[in-house]
């Protein structure tokens, strides 16, 4: 009887050891994979910086992004996000000659809560679906060259300003470069409330964005 019990215990132990040593589809012992290795951990967080191009009033503009998030069980990130935009480097908007004969620029930013479901996070290359809910502000400016004063030869006058609500969903291709560094590239679309310009309410800030970002943290 003792031999049978001992044999049963040994058999159960070997079965458990064999099962725990098996490699899952996601990597050894369920660890997620990176381009340069594997890493595990259910709770983490990161900070990311991004740069891209967006559309304002159907014109190109520079977009900068920043995110601070907590990642839960690899598959969901929660945090805050912010973005700033300007079309100054692309030139002036000249679609309202009666309101701004010399043309105008659009600048501003927005921020709020950030949620990011992640699909197949254990693979070295996977998809994320960021969504931002927040508020922002926009300023319409006009540049006036003043050659009579060399100390102040470029004055920016505020023509109008307004606040808006924003919802910005997107999709991102994310690369696990290491346990602490990730890089992503993606596209999102910004839906905003109407902004008032030239005494009219218009959807000038709705538009798509393309971007790249780098994330640093514990994933």
């Amino acid at each position: 009887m003792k031999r049978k019990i001992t044999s049963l215990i040994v058999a159960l132990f070997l079965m458990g050891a064999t099962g725990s040593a098996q490699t899952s589809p996601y990597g050894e012992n369920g660890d997620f994979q990176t381009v340069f290795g594997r890493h595990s951990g259910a709770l983490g967080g990161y900070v990311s910086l991004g740069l891209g191009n967006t559309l304002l009033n159907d014109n190109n503009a520079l977009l900068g992004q920043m995110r601070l998030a907590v990642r839960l069980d690899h598959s969901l990130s929660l945090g805050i996000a912010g973005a700033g935009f300007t079309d100054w480097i692309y030139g002036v908007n000249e679609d309202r000659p009666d309101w701004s004969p010399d043309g105008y620029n659009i600048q501003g930013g927005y921020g709020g809560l950030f949620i990011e479901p992640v699909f197949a996070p254990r693979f070295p290359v996977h998809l994320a679906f960021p969504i931002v809910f927040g508020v922002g502000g926009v300023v319409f400016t006009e540049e006036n060259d003043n050659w009579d004063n060399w100390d102040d030869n470029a004055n920016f006058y505020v023509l109008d300003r307004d606040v808006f609500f924003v919802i910005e969903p997107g999709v991102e291709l994310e690369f696990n470069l290491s346990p602490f560094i990730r890089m992503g590239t993606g596209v999102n679309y910004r839906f905003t409330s109407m902004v008032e310009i030239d005494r009219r309410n218009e959807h000038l800030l709705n538009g798509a964005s393309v971007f790249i970002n780098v994330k640093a943290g514990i994933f």
Side-chain angles (χ1 to χ4, degrees):
M1 176 63 84
K2 290 183 178 180
R3 288 183 178 181
K4 291 182 178 180
I5 294 175
T6 302
S7 298
L8 180 60
I9 293 174
V10 172
L12 291 174
F13 175 79
L14 292 175
M15 290 175 62
T18 302
S20 63
Q22 290 179 349
T23 301
S24 74
Y26 304 116
E28 295 180 357
N29 303 321
D31 294 352
F32 74 81
Q33 304 172 57
T34 71
V35 175
F36 303 109
R38 293 188 172 94
H39 181 65
S40 62
L43 181 63
Y46 69 85
V47 59
S48 76
L49 297 175
L51 190 65
N53 187 86
T54 189
L55 292 178
L56 300 174
N57 195 25
D58 295 326
N59 296 317
N60 289 313
L62 183 67
L63 176 73
Q65 298 176 329
M66 182 175 182
R67 298 171 183 169
L68 181 63
V70 174
R71 178 154 288 187
L72 308 175
D73 197 26
H74 307 305
S75 60
L76 181 66
S77 296
L78 302 172
I80 56 176
F85 53 80
T86 177
D87 64 358
W88 180 76
I89 63 173
Y90 290 95
V92 297
N93 300 273
E94 299 180 303
D95 58 324
R96 301 170 188 265
D98 296 335
W99 182 65
S100 178
D102 296 325
Y104 64 95
N105 292 111
I106 305 176
Q107 303 173 68
Y110 54 93
L113 299 178
F114 164 70
I115 181 172
E116 183 185 53
V118 183
F119 179 74
R122 298 179 186 273
F123 288 98
V125 181
H126 52 266
L127 292 175
F129 301 90
I131 308 174
V132 176
F133 306 87
V135 296
V138 59
V139 177
F140 303 91
T141 62
E142 183 180 59
E143 183 178 355
N144 181 35
D145 293 330
N146 181 8
W147 297 103
D148 295 331
N149 186 349
W150 291 96
D151 294 329
D152 187 20
N153 58 11
N155 297 313
F156 291 90
Y157 296 101
V158 175
L159 299 172
D160 212 340
R161 66 184 70 188
D162 204 359
V163 297
F164 58 88
F165 295 97
V166 60
I167 298 176
E168 188 177 51
V171 59
E172 180 178 336
L173 187 65
E174 192 173 71
F175 301 85
N176 299 349
L177 300 182
S178 78
F180 309 106
I181 300 293
R182 293 188 177 184
M183 184 178 69
T185 180
V187 59
N188 52 36
Y189 194 92
R190 183 178 53 255
F191 297 94
T192 76
S193 59
M194 289 189 293
V195 296
E196 183 177 346
I197 176 177
D198 193 19
R199 299 182 181 180
R200 290 178 290 178
N201 292 320
E202 302 178 26
H203 284 291
L204 297 180
L205 303 183
N206 287 0
S209 305
V210 292
F211 60 90
I212 59 173
N213 62 35
V214 176
K215 301 177 180 178
I218 300 175
F219 300 95

